[in-house]
């Protein structure tokens, strides 16, 4: 008889966002329209340059002379896209070779799948609170141990609290794999170069690997916050970077992302770039041509202007949320270099309790901080990816609730 992967049975409950969806659906006949500021999903349409590129590429696919089947170029990605990504790094002074760039269908998939190239015995460190994908995928693989009292026994939790500016201190137990997300989901904090340098030196010293998720880098507004970990000296020998078009260019439903693995990154005598290339070559056939063309369009002069306008729109939402919630007396973090605002629940409320109050009394859907890990308890996350009018209305409703 078949044996299942019983690591799945150890997972507590459902994945966070479907669980929120379930609770929201259970709320029958809300007295006013629900405003959804829970999952960080974009609401603004694709840039016209992107849509044009998709149309043109679709037409090419409909003609014999220009039809494309499997992508046979390096790492299942067309040169036009890899070169455009490489050039965008260069604009920030970061020199990445085009064959260090792997195009995929999402940073979520890559952050999860990357575990394939690491041994199950590795000790994994995650920030707490954390994007649940890092934890759940390691738990599914059997690397997290057992779930006891809200924590996985084999994971190293790195608390990120208001007290440490939501950036983790080095742990007592040395981890082999270290996930860092900056700008951070969920806290909205962005690391400085100096903060990252501490981890880069630590990883190089101990032979660890940093898995750096910079899916939200386009939201950085402060000059002292690097957009890429490769802006930090030494990172090419210890870090893998995940990036995405989802939040940068509204591709959450379109699906395109990329992962950078420097060829200088070796562990156990093996090149991680070569291992990932082998993994992707075996399990993945690339992102559709039409979508790669769409992604390429985000790097054209008109594409850049158009996506910058949409990012500015979401940034204004973040500002509206920040200032409105602060004025309502809440302790608010994030939203300056990230599309997420993280606030403390009022005295006496746990995350889920206040989530329920916001849902049932204000008809606003948020994300309870506790869903991101033990240190998220007592916080709520709000996304800036909503419609501007609805976002302002949600802030008013929350402020009224607190009066
Ligand atoms: C979130 O809400 O944390 C994100 O949208 C989830 C994701 O990007 O996968």
């Amino acid at each position: 008889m078949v044996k299942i992967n019983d690591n799945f049975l150890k997972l507590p409950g459902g994945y966070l966002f479907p669980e929120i969806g379930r609770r929201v659906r259970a709320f029958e006949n809300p007295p006013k329209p629900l405003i959804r500021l829970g999952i960080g999903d974009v609401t603004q349409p694709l840039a016209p340059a992107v849509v044009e590129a998709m149309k043109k590429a679709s037409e090419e696919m409909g003609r014999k002379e220009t039809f494309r089947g499997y992508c046979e170029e390096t790492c299942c990605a067309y040169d036009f896209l890899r070169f455009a990504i490489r050039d965008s790094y260069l604009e920030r002074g970061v020199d990445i070779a085009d064959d260090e760039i792997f195009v995929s269908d999402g940073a979520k998939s890559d952050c999860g799948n990357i575990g394939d190239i690491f041994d199950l015995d590795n000790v994994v460190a995650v920030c707490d609170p954390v994007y649940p994908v890092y934890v759940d995928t390691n738990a599914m693989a059997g690397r997290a141990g057992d779930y006891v009292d809200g924590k996985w026994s084999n994971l190293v939790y790195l608390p990120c609290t208001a007290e440490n500016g939501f950036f983790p201190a080095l742990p007592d137990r040395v981890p082999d794999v270290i996930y860092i997300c900056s700008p951070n989901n969920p806290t909205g904090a962005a690391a400085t170069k100096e903060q990252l340098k501490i981890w880069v030196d630590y990883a190089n010293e101990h032979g660890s690997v940093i898995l750096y998720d910079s899916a939200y880098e386009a939201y950085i507004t402060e000059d002292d916050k690097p957009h890429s970990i490769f802006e930090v000296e030494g990172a090419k020998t210890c870090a893998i970077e995940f990036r995405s078009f989802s939040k940068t260019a509204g591709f959450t439903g379109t699906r395109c992302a990329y992962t950078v693995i420097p060829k200088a990154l070796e562990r156990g005598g093996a090149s991680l770039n070569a291992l990932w290339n082998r993994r992707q070559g075996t399990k993945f056939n690339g992102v559709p041509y039409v979508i790669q063309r769409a992604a390429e369009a985000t790097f054209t002069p008109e594409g850049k202007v158009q996506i910058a306008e949409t990012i500015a729109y979401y940034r204004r939402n973040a500002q509206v949320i920040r200032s409105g919630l602060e004025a309502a007396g809440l302790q608010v973090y994030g939203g300056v270099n990230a599309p997420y605002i993280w606030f403390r629940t009022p005295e006496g409320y746990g995350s889920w309790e206040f989530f329920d109050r916001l849902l049932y009394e204000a008809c606003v859907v948020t994300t309870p901080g506790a869903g991101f890990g033990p240190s998220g308890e007592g916080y709520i996350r709000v996304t800036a990816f909503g419609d501007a009018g609805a976002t302002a209305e949600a802030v008013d409703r929350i402020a009224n609730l607190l009066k």
Side-chain angles (χ1 to χ4, degrees):
M1 177 139 103
V2 71
K3 291 194 180 73
I4 51 139
N5 175 354
D6 62 9
N7 293 309
F8 278 71
L9 304 182
K10 298 181 185 174
L11 292 165
Y15 183 62
L16 176 60
F17 295 105
E19 170 59 19
I20 291 172
R22 195 188 60 73
R23 289 183 182 228
V24 172
R25 279 192 301 280
F27 180 21
E28 286 171 10
N29 306 317
K32 42 193 161 192
L34 289 180
I35 300 178
R36 294 169 192 272
L37 303 182
I39 188 164
D41 195 4
V42 295
T43 53
Q44 298 308 297
L46 293 171
V50 168
V51 175
E52 269 318 301
M54 287 169 98
K55 283 188 194 159
K56 188 164 168 266
S58 302
E59 275 159 20
E60 285 178 47
M61 292 297 282
R63 284 197 302 272
K64 191 168 180 10
E65 322 75 71
T66 46
F67 169 78
R68 320 264 179 143
Y70 291 126
C71 173
E72 285 174 4
E73 294 180 28
T74 320
C75 324
C76 313
Y78 290 101
D79 285 351
F80 59 76
L81 180 55
R82 281 184 307 106
F83 293 177
I85 294 169
R86 176 200 61 194
D87 294 348
S88 75
Y89 270 102
L90 256 189
E91 282 171 23
R92 289 202 176 273
V94 177
D95 191 6
I96 298 289
D98 54 85
D99 57 357
E100 295 177 322
I101 298 165
F102 296 85
V103 172
S104 75
D105 68 331
K108 180 180 185 176
S109 335
D110 283 0
C111 286
N113 293 334
I114 196 76
D116 278 10
I117 67 170
F118 296 113
D119 191 272
L120 288 185
D121 285 340
N122 283 303
V123 175
V124 175
V126 293
C127 291
D128 171 28
V130 63
Y131 179 42
V133 171
Y134 315 150
V135 172
D136 288 7
T137 53
N138 277 291
M140 287 170 181
R143 217 177 268 117
D146 295 306
Y147 191 68
V148 186
D149 297 333
K151 283 193 171 186
W152 289 93
S153 56
N154 285 355
L155 293 186
V156 173
Y157 286 84
L158 308 169
C160 294
T161 60
E163 290 65 42
N164 63 13
F166 300 104
F167 191 77
L170 297 175
D172 296 334
R173 182 179 180 199
V174 178
D176 305 302
V177 176
I178 303 155
Y179 286 85
I180 297 179
C181 174
S182 179
N184 189 262
N185 180 10
T187 67
T192 62
K193 246 187 211 175
E194 292 68 34
Q195 287 175 316
L196 291 176
K197 178 79 174 128
I198 294 170
W199 281 95
V200 164
D201 290 346
Y202 178 83
N204 278 325
E205 183 191 335
H206 294 285
S208 313
V209 171
I210 297 174
L211 300 180
Y212 191 75
D213 183 349
S214 66
Y216 300 97
E217 59 80 26
Y219 292 84
I220 291 175
T221 59
E222 294 176 328
D223 290 341
D224 65 332
K225 309 292 190 300
H227 287 244
S228 163
I229 194 163
F230 300 121
E231 291 176 50
V232 177
E233 201 200 321
K236 283 191 179 169
T237 51
C238 69
I240 292 176
E241 178 158 289
F242 304 94
R243 288 245 184 129
S244 168
F245 294 92
S246 285
K247 312 298 160 78
T248 310
F251 275 49
T252 53
T254 306
R255 309 309 310 154
C256 196
Y258 51 99
T259 289
V260 176
I261 310 187
K263 281 177 282 187
L265 176 51
E266 293 189 355
R267 291 293 181 265
S271 152
L272 299 200
N273 177 296
L275 296 188
W276 185 243
N277 197 16
R278 182 71 175 83
R279 189 267 175 211
Q280 290 296 78
T282 305
K283 293 196 181 183
F284 185 60
N285 259 334
V287 173
Y289 173 69
V290 174
I291 305 300
Q292 293 200 42
R293 280 292 186 200
E296 180 199 21
T298 67
F299 297 108
T300 59
E302 63 278 23
K304 278 184 186 167
V305 170
Q306 292 162 3
I307 65 171
E309 280 166 10
T310 306
I311 290 167
Y313 175 98
Y314 294 134
R315 278 195 188 132
R316 283 193 296 277
N317 282 350
Q319 178 53 31
V320 166
I321 299 168
R322 250 195 91 94
S323 56
L325 296 185
E326 257 166 10
L330 292 167
Q331 223 173 327
V332 183
Y333 305 93
V336 175
N337 295 299
Y340 294 121
I341 291 84
W342 184 245
F343 70 86
R344 266 198 214 272
T345 53
E347 192 71 34
Y349 283 94
S351 292
W352 280 105
E353 273 173 288
F354 199 59
F355 165 87
D356 281 340
R357 244 199 108 186
L358 292 171
L359 176 61
Y360 285 99
E361 295 180 40
C363 297
V364 175
V365 181
T366 57
T367 309
F372 296 103
S375 297
E377 181 51 89
Y379 287 91
I380 293 279
R381 193 194 75 174
V382 179
T383 141
F385 287 122
D387 167 81
T391 298
E393 161 82 18
V395 172
D396 285 348
R397 289 189 196 174
I398 298 173
N400 283 332
L401 184 76
L402 294 169
K403 271 185 188 153

